[in-house]
Amino acid sequence: MPDAVLLDRDGTLVHDVPYNGDPALVRPVDGARASLDRLRAEGVRLAVVSNQSGVASGRITREQVDAVNAEVDRLLGPFEAFHVCPHGPDDGCGCRKPAPGMVKQACADLGVDPDRTVVVGDIGADVGAALAAGAHAVLVPTPVTRAEEVAAAPRVAGSLPEAVDAVLRGDW
């Protein structure tokens, strides 16, 4: 069992609503709650790592991001932490996935080794951040996931429940 699973928010835990600042629009993906509860039952620690470039572009506020995260936590939590990168793609920060900063910080805050951590996400940036941080990665493609991202991923699952199945059977 890994010590922790870090999950992307939009497209992985909840249906992606671009630049969502409205908690009423949060809709979990099928099987999310039951899958996360299976990990919790095994003692796996859970946190969210999410790029939110809408903050940098002015489309949403950090307060709106926090309100959406609170709704995700209410519906699917508890999560031990929410790590958010509010920067845009050209800001050059070290936290925006595929940079490893958010994953490394989440591991440090949880007190877990990245090598004992799995990152589950829906695009190549999630996989890239995991691998750059020394963590493991499972890609759960959606219609926006590019074919080359799927081909490059070390592990691919058809859904969040399938990703959790893989983690629980030790395929991470």
Side-chain angles (χ1 to χ4, degrees):
M1 229 28 76
D3 294 331
V5 172
L6 308 179
L7 300 120
D8 173 60
R9 190 185 83 183
D10 302 319
T12 302
L13 287 174
V14 299
H15 293 281
D16 189 12
V17 175
Y19 309 110
N20 185 19
D22 183 354
L25 298 178
V26 173
R27 299 283 181 267
V29 299
D30 290 344
R33 180 64 195 226
S35 296
L36 298 174
D37 285 346
R38 290 176 64 208
L39 290 169
R40 289 183 188 102
E42 293 295 330
V44 177
R45 300 172 76 185
L46 303 178
V48 175
V49 289
S50 181
N51 286 348
Q52 293 296 321
S53 65
V55 174
S57 68
R59 291 182 171 119
I60 54 175
T61 66
R62 179 58 194 250
E63 291 75 20
Q64 288 174 305
V65 170
D66 292 344
V68 169
N69 286 344
E71 182 66 1
V72 171
D73 197 59
R74 186 184 75 78
L75 294 172
L76 299 174
F79 293 96
E80 290 196 41
F82 280 80
H83 289 267
V84 172
C85 171
H87 305 108
D90 299 324
D91 289 346
C93 69
C95 55
R96 182 176 174 78
K97 298 177 287 182
M102 228 183 333
V103 172
K104 287 182 175 182
Q105 187 63 55
C107 290
D109 290 352
L110 294 173
V112 298
D113 188 316
D115 188 48
R116 302 273 316 141
T117 301
V118 179
V119 176
V120 179
D122 65 319
I123 62 173
D126 300 312
V127 172
L131 299 179
H136 302 268
V138 179
L139 181 71
V140 180
T142 68
V144 303
T145 312
R146 296 189 320 253
E148 60 269 21
E149 294 172 328
V150 176
R155 284 165 205 78
V156 177
S159 65
L160 180 58
E162 287 180 24
V164 169
D165 288 344
V167 169
L168 290 173
R169 71 173 174 266
D171 185 18
W172 50 278

